[in-house]
Amino acid sequence: MVYPIVAYGSPVLKRATQEVDPSSAKTKTLIDDMYETMYASKGVGLAAPQIGLSSRVFVVDASPFAEDVEEEESIFLKEFKRAFINPVIIEEIGELWSYEEGCLSIPGIHEKISRLRDIKIRSQNTNGDWIEEQLSGLSARIFQHEYDHIEGILFPDRMTPLKRRMLQGRLKNVSAGKVDTIYKMKFNVK
């Protein structure tokens, strides 16, 4: 099932999410639907709040970035497709680096955001097993962006106050529905 994407300004996007049962049929169906919605929207990541659910789940498929990086990272990104259930960032390390980010919930706006290059994470798979791993570069960035969603943080929250003020009119247009997208959107989702 393809869900509409929840737009910037909706309260559901600003709330921290609740843990889910990783092995339940409901969670597995949610993950399938999230992949279908992400692909239909031409995204590389999608968090449950972006379809109106306060669930601690997100999906990623970084393969579209595989051609934009060095060969070693490219191989990893081609295979970096998975669901993260009840994820936790254990440690953030490395240097800050800026990279232009966008978001399905904030269409038409792309800005450079600084994030740490390396993270150590833990999350569950659909069997309920905990998996711990380290991510670097774009995979770490994509994870951090989607993780922010389940914590109630959007990428404009990571910009300087001046930059946010400069984008205020465009952000208000998104929340008012004055956007053009290839996918359906929902506005003011509680």
Side-chain angles (χ1 to χ4, degrees):
M1 173 180 184
V2 175
Y3 285 85
I5 302 295
V6 173
Y8 178 87
S10 295
V12 70
L13 295 175
K14 297 301 288 177
R15 280 196 304 269
T17 55
Q18 302 297 312
E19 287 192 359
V20 298
D21 176 356
S23 59
S24 75
K26 182 178 176 182
T27 299
K28 291 175 184 179
T29 299
L30 171 62
I31 289 167
D32 290 341
D33 290 347
M34 288 176 67
Y35 273 119
E36 192 174 346
T37 301
M38 179 182 71
Y39 291 134
S41 305
K42 306 286 189 241
V44 296
L46 183 70
Q50 291 181 276
I51 59 170
L53 302 173
S54 284
S55 299
R56 205 160 179 79
V57 177
F58 61 83
V59 297
V60 301
D61 182 349
S63 60
F65 286 113
E67 295 176 13
D68 299 335
V69 296
E70 295 176 17
E71 186 176 347
E72 186 177 318
E73 187 175 9
S74 174
I75 293 166
F76 183 76
L77 290 177
K78 284 179 185 174
E79 303 299 319
F80 190 59
K81 174 189 172 183
R82 69 179 87 136
F84 292 91
I85 305 168
N86 303 321
V88 177
I89 295 178
I90 300 168
E91 185 178 11
E92 296 174 299
I93 46 182
E95 299 174 10
L96 278 175
W97 64 297
S98 292
Y99 193 86
E100 192 172 276
E101 292 186 21
C103 181
L104 294 173
S105 292
I106 312 171
I109 298 176
H110 296 83
E111 292 295 328
K112 286 195 172 196
I113 302 298
S114 292
R115 295 189 187 272
L116 291 171
R117 185 172 292 279
D118 303 292
I119 57 173
K120 189 178 207 181
I121 62 133
R122 184 176 66 227
S123 67
Q124 289 180 284
N125 63 21
T126 54
N127 294 324
D129 302 321
W130 284 98
I131 299 165
E132 195 170 297
E133 62 188 309
Q134 185 160 336
L135 301 173
S136 297
L138 281 174
S139 61
R141 176 170 294 278
I142 293 166
F143 181 95
Q144 290 171 87
H145 178 102
E146 299 308 326
Y147 185 83
D148 275 356
H149 275 296
I150 64 171
E151 292 293 317
I153 300 168
L154 300 172
F155 83 84
D157 299 330
R158 299 238 178 243
M159 292 189 278
T160 65
L162 175 62
K163 191 63 141 171
R164 271 196 312 278
R165 275 196 305 276
M166 290 171 58
L167 290 173
Q168 192 171 31
R170 291 174 64 199
L171 292 169
K172 281 183 181 179
N173 283 343
V174 171
S175 63
K178 299 176 184 174
V179 293
D180 187 27
T181 63
I182 62 166
Y183 47 90
K184 290 183 181 179
M185 295 195 77
K186 285 175 75 173
F187 302 90
N188 200 28
V189 177
K190 305 289 184 205

